[in-house]
Amino acid sequence: MNASRSIIFSLVAVGILVCLPLIGVAAGMTSFFGVIVPYLAVALFFIGVVARVVRWARSPVPFRIPTTCGQQKSFNWIKPDKLDNPWDNKGVVLRMILEVLLFRSLFRNSRMEFYEGPKIRYASAKWLWLGAIVFHYSFLVVLLRHLRFFSEPVSSLVHLLEGVDGFLEVGAPRLYISGLALLAGVAFLFLRRVTIPQLKYISLPSDYFPLFLIFAIAATGVLMRYIYKVDIVSVKELTMGLATFHPVVPEGIGSLFYIHLFLVSVLFAYFPFSKLVHMAGVFLSPTRNLPNNSRMVRHINPWNYPVKVHTYEEYEDEFREKMIEAGLPVEKKE
Amino acid sequence: MYDSGKIIPGIILFVGLFTFPLWSNLGKAAPAPKPELPKTEKVCVMDAAFMKTEHMVLLNDWRDKVVREANRVWVGPDGKEYQMSLQNSCMQCHASKTKFCDQCHNYAGVKPYCWECHLEPKENM
């Protein structure tokens, strides 16, 4: 699919997903969209992610294939690069922590450009890293803030997070920075895809769809908090019912809530089958999680079949007489 | 499966962390709050459905009008005049903070910053 068709396809898909609960709730299917769909989605999420990880773990990684960006450990008088060319588990763990928490390999992103001449020049490109950091961390904060709907009493850590997130104290309910940052992050990641021609060329519906879906989730959440408010006590009764396996569907929650819940359910269900599963995959990337110790440890390919060998000694035993007859040198005379 | 010594603990950690809302409540939901409604008055400044979802916007609006515009009089949709004041209007009917405000706020995990300026009514609970 070309770029514009991919975008339209994804937009229409998200549009349909918004309309489904809208129609369903108007037809009185509140327990379907409020209870059955979320349970199915969460079950699919866990089963799907675990199955994915197990499937990955079943493929052998016989050789060390870490990407190395620094001096390998060799002689004592050559300074090795512990982080960028780790040779032991300690280095790998440190490298993984920086990768997972700070997106270190995105920070290394570079861009090639032509300038007068034409000459080629490489420059560092940090915008993707910044956009990714803003997007992922604001999403994490938003997710953790939602714990207030799933525990009673609400943990003081959640209150602390809310206090920091809403420290601007703008309006009531207090404006949360993370909600706006999440929308801005998704918008940036989308605009990046459509404004850079090379990136637009390789973008597929599976790139646009999650962006639109997450944008719709964040947008419905923000709308629900600041503009078209829903009865939050009823919402918490529903979510607590879900969390404690005693589902209840209180009357009179606005349909915006059901749209939000349905889109979140779709995100959970879609997660294991899409690029989003990089959440688990980042831990299993062999270019990051292996120590570069090929010259210290012998790694044997597990699917090597036993090779039938015929050694020189056996060969000589077989042909010794003929070799001596022909005047060829032999190692053993008898 | 290769590296099961790392994969299995990883999966257990993932499932354990992500099911936190399911096991942290031990299957018991706290009962829904029942804010105590005033016995003397039947109607608030706006209808109950509006007050349920929008009271914070109204209060914020009142605060701005009183503090920034020195305007204390608010005319309701029915044309009745009210004094814009938390202590002298709202809390005349909803006298108890613990029995009214805190009921839903605690349940929903909301910490409004009203009481950073206003004095909390002293209540013996």
Side-chain angles (χ1 to χ4, degrees):
Chain A
M1 259 193 251
N2 68 28
S4 48
R5 279 169 78 183
S6 301
I7 295 173
I8 291 166
F9 177 84
S10 309
L11 264 182
V12 170
V14 174
I16 290 171
L17 292 175
V18 169
C19 290
L20 279 179
L22 205 59
I23 299 165
V25 170
M29 294 165 71
T30 46
S31 58
F32 178 75
F33 285 102
V35 177
I36 298 171
V37 169
Y39 273 141
L40 281 179
V42 168
L44 206 57
F45 171 75
F46 283 110
I47 296 168
V49 170
V50 171
R52 265 273 181 158
V53 170
V54 170
R55 204 174 88 200
W56 282 327
R58 285 164 67 93
S59 28
V61 185
F63 305 119
R64 307 278 114 166
I65 53 166
T67 42
T68 56
C69 318
Q71 174 60 49
Q72 184 178 182
K73 182 175 169 61
S74 64
F75 294 115
N76 286 335
W77 43 271
I78 299 177
K79 197 182 164 201
D81 194 329
K82 194 180 175 71
L83 264 184
D84 284 324
N85 204 330
W87 61 89
D88 57 3
N89 284 336
K90 203 177 130 204
V92 166
V93 167
L94 211 61
R95 191 186 198 196
M96 285 299 289
I97 288 174
L98 290 173
E99 181 65 39
V100 171
L101 297 182
L102 298 175
F103 311 164
R104 193 155 172 268
S105 57
L106 268 191
F107 196 73
R108 229 191 274 281
N109 189 26
S110 64
R111 116 187 136 246
M112 187 186 84
E113 57 191 24
F114 290 107
Y115 70 113
E116 75 237 28
K119 290 175 190 161
I120 286 176
R121 131 172 107 185
Y122 294 90
S124 101
K126 299 274 187 270
W127 285 107
L128 173 60
W129 172 82
L130 187 67
I133 283 278
V134 168
F135 168 74
H136 283 86
Y137 274 98
S138 54
F139 207 165
L140 179 68
V141 170
V142 169
L143 194 76
L144 291 177
R145 274 203 283 103
H146 277 74
L147 281 177
R148 81 176 168 114
F149 294 109
F150 294 97
S151 54
E152 174 62 38
V154 179
S155 153
S156 57
L157 283 174
V158 175
H159 283 309
L160 181 73
L161 196 65
E162 284 174 338
V164 174
D165 200 358
F167 87 104
L168 292 176
E169 295 204 347
V170 175
R174 236 177 300 186
L175 179 78
Y176 284 142
I177 301 163
S178 59
L180 297 185
L182 178 58
L183 282 175
V186 180
F188 169 76
L189 293 178
F190 168 70
L191 288 176
R192 182 182 154 267
R193 273 192 191 279
V194 288
T195 51
I196 302 175
Q198 295 96 318
L199 204 60
K200 193 175 172 182
Y201 184 73
I202 58 163
S203 294
L204 297 168
S206 60
D207 297 311
Y208 293 116
F209 176 72
L211 286 176
F212 292 156
L213 186 65
I214 293 167
F215 191 87
I217 289 171
T220 48
V222 165
L223 282 178
M224 202 161 30
R225 181 174 168 82
Y226 304 106
I227 300 167
Y228 304 107
K229 297 190 190 64
V230 293
D231 179 7
I232 214 73
V233 170
S234 306
V235 167
K236 182 151 182 183
E237 276 179 63
L238 189 145
T239 53
M240 284 303 284
L242 289 176
T244 53
F245 297 104
H246 295 105
V248 280
V249 184
E251 292 276 310
I253 308 179
S255 47
L256 193 57
F257 167 75
Y258 287 100
I259 297 175
H260 186 70
L261 184 65
F262 184 67
L263 293 177
V264 171
S265 302
V266 170
L267 185 72
F268 269 90
Y270 177 69
F271 204 94
F273 310 101
S274 62
K275 65 191 282 193
L276 301 175
V277 79
H278 70 266
M279 180 186 77
V282 68
F283 295 98
L284 275 83
S285 21
T287 54
R288 291 287 177 283
N289 67 9
L290 293 172
N292 181 23
N293 58 4
S294 295
R295 300 195 172 176
M296 301 168 212
V297 181
R298 186 172 178 219
H299 300 280
I300 294 167
N301 192 347
W303 66 78
N304 273 351
Y305 52 87
V307 179
K308 210 179 151 197
V309 287
H310 193 224
T311 59
Y312 180 72
E313 284 76 19
E314 287 162 358
Y315 172 88
E316 211 185 78
D317 289 344
E318 200 178 334
F319 296 108
R320 183 167 293 111
E321 287 170 21
K322 289 187 173 107
M323 288 169 82
I324 293 170
E325 235 172 80
L328 291 172
V330 284
E331 289 189 349
K332 280 200 281 182
K333 292 279 182 231
E334 261 326 295
Chain B
M1 194 162 80
Y2 297 88
D3 289 318
S4 45
K6 287 172 196 149
I7 296 285
I8 291 170
I11 289 176
I12 292 171
L13 190 71
F14 158 72
V15 174
L17 270 181
F18 278 69
T19 51
F20 171 78
L22 300 183
W23 51 259
S24 59
N25 296 299
L26 299 167
K28 271 186 192 163
K34 288 196 185 72
E36 194 183 85
L37 295 174
K39 293 175 185 82
T40 48
E41 291 282 337
K42 281 278 162 260
V43 282
C44 198
V45 295
M46 298 283 275
D47 61 83
F50 178 90
M51 293 309 286
K52 240 183 198 177
T53 55
E54 303 280 342
H55 63 276
M56 66 300 258
V57 178
L58 186 81
L59 288 173
N60 197 45
D61 195 36
W62 280 19
R63 196 250 336 238
D64 287 355
K65 285 203 175 102
V66 170
V67 177
R68 299 189 186 152
E69 295 163 24
N71 175 13
R72 277 269 177 200
V73 184
W74 183 77
V75 184
D78 52 354
K80 218 173 144 188
E81 282 190 0
Y82 295 94
Q83 198 197 359
M84 286 190 274
S85 164
L86 182 70
Q87 265 122 333
N88 297 332
S89 292
C90 304
M91 303 209 61
Q92 282 304 307
C93 303
H94 305 289
S96 168
K97 173 176 173 282
T98 45
K99 283 182 191 156
F100 185 73
C101 309
D102 291 350
Q103 288 289 318
C104 296
H105 287 162
N106 286 349
Y107 182 71
V110 180
K111 284 193 174 165
Y113 49 93
C114 311
W115 313 105
E116 285 176 19
C117 305
H118 289 276
L119 286 176
E120 263 182 65
K122 278 195 183 118
E123 291 176 54
N124 298 317
M125 284 298 287

